[in-house]
Amino acid sequence: MLAIESSCDETAAAIVERTAAGALSVRSNVVASQFELHRRYAGVVPEIASRAHLENILPVVHEALATAQLTLREIDAVAVGVRPGLIGSLLVGVSAAKAIAWSLHKPFFGIDHVEAHLWSGVLESECPALPALGLVVSGGHTSMFTLQASSAPTLLGWTIDDALGEAFDKAAFMLGLSHPGGPNLERLARTGNPEAHAFPFANIGTLNFSFSGLKTAMLYAVRGVPAGRGRTSHFTRSHEDLTEQAKADLAASFQRAAVRAILRRLRDAHALHPYKALFVGGGVVANNTLRHELMAFALERSMELRMPQQAYCVDNAAMIGAAAWMRVLRGEPSDPLTIPAQPVSRLATAAS
Ligand code: KG4
Ligand code: ZN
């Protein structure tokens, strides 16, 4: 299967293949990153992203085929992330995938990007024991799901404000770190004391998450509580007034609080439904502190942990192939070429 992903600022293509033993192997996984293009704006600029996708899409598809030593005619199916994402970015990958599927007369799968993150743990391994608990923590989503063998994932809880990756990125920005914030904050946190600041946990009494309070606490810890009110309020200092050690302590304390908030909700979900397996995915799962905590959580409860290697946590196309493969296993048909690219996930809003 040729899989394509272009929902945000990565142009990606992969070839995934079912092995004789029933596992899903990744024959190639190519990602063209746009970090450098967006760095000076401290975030992704949609118009720049879609133009870069246009330049990258065909070279990336060709490289995925070449690495897998295949020609286009040897492909059996085409899958692409159709939602959620930046619409101009999505349209590039979706149009390319539709054109390839149409010209080859091959089945076409339009995949939800959030579901793809959820299933990234099936890559390079055999099919999982279900039902399982699922967690997606990315730049745009922070949600927990029940994963079943016979139907699409069902939503258990979601963030009522910021996504975890978004909170990491904003905390990094407050500390004067460059884009992409999450990995840079993790690097700085290595030399910091995670006990230095007792950041708050938003206890909203459900399986939902909230990170805006943590973000504000971080802002005040970096810049001081603003003097004055409303339009006249102003900060008394900036990150430039802090020592490197003070910044590292803030980064480590923020990271600890953010990871604890995720683990707290996983414990709550497991207490309600004692799942036997845990699937995790999304860019923030590349964070080593979170990875260690997830491993300890699963070990303590004898849960099978499906945590993708770091390359499959951040946006990639192999995970799109994984989600398409799970749809095939569920007996779902392929999609018509008329399905549109959409900015919003149906999965992550199903219960709201
Ligand atoms: O899944 P992803 O690549 O894109 C979305 O679907 O959003 O996730 C990107 C997010 C960004 O917010 C990025 O800062 C965060 O994942 N991220 C990290 C780390 N690596 C990526 N956050 C914390 N620590 C990391 N090592
Ligand atoms: Zn993503």
Side-chain angles (χ1 to χ4, degrees):
M1 180 184 287
L2 167 67
I4 293 177
E5 153 63 33
S6 71
S7 64
C8 189
D9 60 339
E10 320 276 14
T11 322
I15 305 291
V16 298
E17 181 182 43
R18 186 179 53 140
T19 65
L24 193 63
S25 94
V26 181
R27 289 189 52 176
S28 62
N29 187 40
V30 179
V31 181
S33 166
Q34 301 179 9
F35 282 158
E36 290 309 323
L37 289 177
H38 300 283
R39 192 188 291 277
R40 60 190 283 227
Y41 304 102
V44 177
V45 182
E47 281 307 314
I48 293 177
S50 52
R51 282 163 205 228
H53 282 306
L54 264 183
E55 285 170 14
N56 292 338
I57 188 75
L58 289 181
V60 162
V61 167
H62 285 142
E63 194 181 329
L65 287 164
T67 308
Q69 296 183 312
L70 290 174
T71 63
L72 258 188
R73 292 190 184 284
E74 291 170 287
I75 294 299
D76 291 326
V78 182
V80 63
V82 290
R83 62 176 178 269
L86 302 170
I87 194 69
S89 292
L90 283 168
L91 280 170
V92 177
V94 171
S95 306
K98 284 181 176 175
I100 293 169
W102 176 79
S103 61
L104 296 173
H105 303 287
K106 297 294 179 188
F108 170 82
F109 293 90
I111 299 297
D112 188 297
H113 181 94
V114 178
E115 183 168 3
H117 275 305
L118 268 176
W119 292 121
S120 51
V122 306
L123 292 167
E124 310 283 20
S125 58
E126 70 289 347
C127 277
L130 297 173
L133 178 59
L135 169 76
V136 174
V137 278
S138 70
H141 293 89
T142 300
S143 313
M144 285 190 301
F145 297 87
T146 302
L147 304 181
Q148 288 132 340
S150 52
S151 53
T154 51
L155 191 63
L156 287 173
W158 64 96
T159 179
I160 60 166
D161 40 55
D162 291 352
L164 183 61
E166 185 184 357
F168 262 91
D169 292 338
K170 287 178 178 162
F173 184 74
M174 291 171 202
L175 290 170
L177 301 173
S178 61
H179 175 75
N184 289 336
L185 187 141
E186 178 179 17
R187 209 164 298 124
L188 179 61
R190 279 190 209 132
T191 51
N193 172 11
E195 312 282 342
H197 299 268
F199 284 130
F201 167 71
N203 199 351
I204 45 178
T206 62
L207 288 182
N208 290 344
F209 301 88
S210 166
F211 294 104
S212 63
L214 171 61
K215 208 176 57 178
T216 306
M218 178 75 174
L219 179 68
Y220 288 0
V222 174
R223 306 202 58 188
V225 179
R229 292 177 70 98
R231 289 161 69 94
T232 61
S233 76
H234 61 275
F235 290 105
T236 50
R237 59 171 192 258
S238 86
H239 63 81
E240 286 169 1
D241 301 316
L242 300 174
T243 63
E244 277 310 301
Q245 189 56 50
K247 286 190 216 171
D249 289 347
L250 283 162
S253 302
F254 173 88
Q255 180 172 265
R256 187 177 91 130
V259 168
R260 279 191 166 181
I262 296 295
L263 269 292
R264 187 91 73 106
R265 284 292 170 257
L266 285 178
R267 273 196 287 278
D268 294 343
H270 186 263
L272 286 175
H273 316 269
Y275 302 90
K276 296 271 177 278
L278 172 63
F279 279 69
V280 295
V284 190
V285 176
N287 182 284
N288 289 296
T289 302
L290 179 59
R291 293 177 82 82
H292 288 134
E293 293 289 330
L294 290 169
M295 278 189 253
F297 172 85
L299 198 67
E300 273 165 28
R301 288 159 186 81
S302 302
M303 293 171 90
E304 183 185 345
L305 177 63
R306 290 304 184 96
M307 181 160 68
Q309 45 176 282
Q310 276 150 317
Y312 300 139
C313 292
V314 287
D315 286 350
N316 66 89
M319 69 180 193
I320 299 288
W325 172 232
M326 293 310 291
R327 275 185 50 182
V328 172
L329 287 185
R330 294 202 294 261
E332 291 178 17
S334 59
D335 292 312
L337 291 174
T338 49
I339 70 162
Q342 290 174 317
V344 180
S345 170
R346 283 185 209 157
L347 201 65
T349 51
S352 55

